[in-house]
Amino acid sequence: AQSVTQLGSHVSVSEGALVLLRCNYSSSVPPYLFWYVQYPNQGLQLLLKYTTGATLVKGINGFEAEFKKSETSFHLTKPSAHMSDAAEYFCAVSDRREYGNKLVFGAGTILRVKS
Amino acid sequence: SQTIHQWPATLVQPVGSPLSLECTVEGTSNPNLYWYRQAAGRGLQLLFYSVGIGQISSEVPQNLSASRPQDRQFILSSKKLLLSDSGFYLCASKGQGGNEQFFGPGTRLTVL
């Protein structure tokens, strides 16, 4: 079974600093990979996804992520944090061989942005 | 693009009462539909998914059930709620053309 590990349940950065949220997955075959953001008491919003092709993917709000097969990682970055980036971020994977396109989520990382 | 509606937005129910949460989808046809639960401070747990009308797959044994009476309608139910059923319930949809799931705004359920 697939699993997703997000290192650090809480990450704190200063406004303007680099944001790095880590995600590692376990799967024998590279899965589809996703990052979602959740603001308090709201649903999840898709930030970006990797399915095939270029391993560096760009998403909304200035975020990007790089798929590294050798490291089984899909870390999320943003060059300069903004106060509005404070939220919870979830990494998710989907086994491209599996029926139903189910998502397996990491436990989430709460990002705090300090002024 | 897809729009997912959920209601009610919040619900407070006594233990032992029934439950019905509804999810409807606009902007796509024949989607895969999903119910997730998010407990406080935890990630998302897939409860049920459906690939078509009347087709329901359960991911974990529990006190809940799901139904899909129409193509773009997904209902989560319980006959008797437990305290452990409290949480944030999210409905998601995956259209036929992509790999990503889109999420509704969620229902906050508190069982007292």
Side-chain angles (χ1 to χ4, degrees):
Chain A
Q2 295 183 102
S3 66
V4 180
T5 302
Q6 291 184 238
L7 291 177
S9 59
H10 292 77
V11 170
S12 183
V13 301
S14 297
E15 192 173 18
L18 171 72
V19 175
L20 171 61
L21 304 182
R22 300 179 187 272
C23 173
N24 288 87
Y25 65 90
S26 66
S27 175
S28 58
V29 173
Y32 298 130
L33 296 154
F34 308 88
W35 275 99
Y36 286 87
V37 61
Q38 185 181 32
Y39 297 97
N41 293 310
Q42 295 186 24
L44 275 68
Q45 180 182 12
L46 180 68
L47 279 177
L48 48 78
K49 65 178 180 179
Y50 171 78
T51 55
T52 187
T55 56
L56 180 63
V57 293
K58 297 185 183 299
I60 62 172
N61 302 338
F63 284 94
E64 61 183 38
E66 186 171 11
F67 166 58
K68 292 187 176 180
K69 182 179 177 180
S70 62
E71 298 177 7
T72 60
S73 68
F74 191 56
H75 301 331
L76 181 70
T77 61
K78 182 173 180 178
S80 177
H82 191 271
M83 296 298 289
S84 61
D85 295 327
E88 188 162 18
Y89 292 80
F90 292 95
C91 181
V93 303
S94 176
D95 188 336
R96 58 184 73 213
R97 303 163 298 176
E98 189 178 61
Y99 182 72
N101 302 103
K102 297 175 288 184
L103 288 177
V104 175
F105 283 88
T109 297
I110 295 173
L111 176 65
R112 178 187 169 210
V113 182
K114 300 175 290 185
S115 59
Chain B
S1 63
Q2 300 180 46
T3 302
I4 296 95
H5 302 280
Q6 289 186 244
W7 64 88
T10 60
L11 190 60
V12 179
Q13 292 285 91
V15 169
S17 64
L19 173 74
S20 180
L21 303 181
E22 189 163 347
C23 169
T24 58
V25 180
E26 296 179 356
T28 189
S29 296
N30 195 28
N32 287 0
L33 298 175
Y34 308 83
W35 277 113
Y36 293 88
R37 177 169 60 204
Q38 186 176 26
R42 299 176 64 179
L44 283 81
Q45 179 185 36
L46 178 63
L47 303 176
F48 301 93
Y49 72 94
S50 171
V51 299
I53 296 174
Q55 301 179 62
I56 308 295
S57 296
S58 174
E59 288 296 293
V60 293
Q62 58 205 315
N63 185 44
L64 302 168
S65 62
S67 61
R68 186 170 176 175
Q70 301 181 46
D71 181 45
R72 290 173 289 173
Q73 183 185 31
F74 204 23
I75 297 172
L76 184 69
S77 304
S78 175
K79 293 182 179 178
K80 290 185 177 181
L81 283 169
L82 305 173
L83 287 173
S84 57
D85 292 323
S86 293
F88 193 50
Y89 288 82
L90 290 158
C91 177
S93 170
K94 189 198 82 66
Q96 292 302 311
N99 306 105
E100 64 271 25
Q101 294 181 20
F102 295 94
F103 284 79
T107 295
R108 174 76 58 192
L109 172 66
T110 303
V111 182
L112 302 175

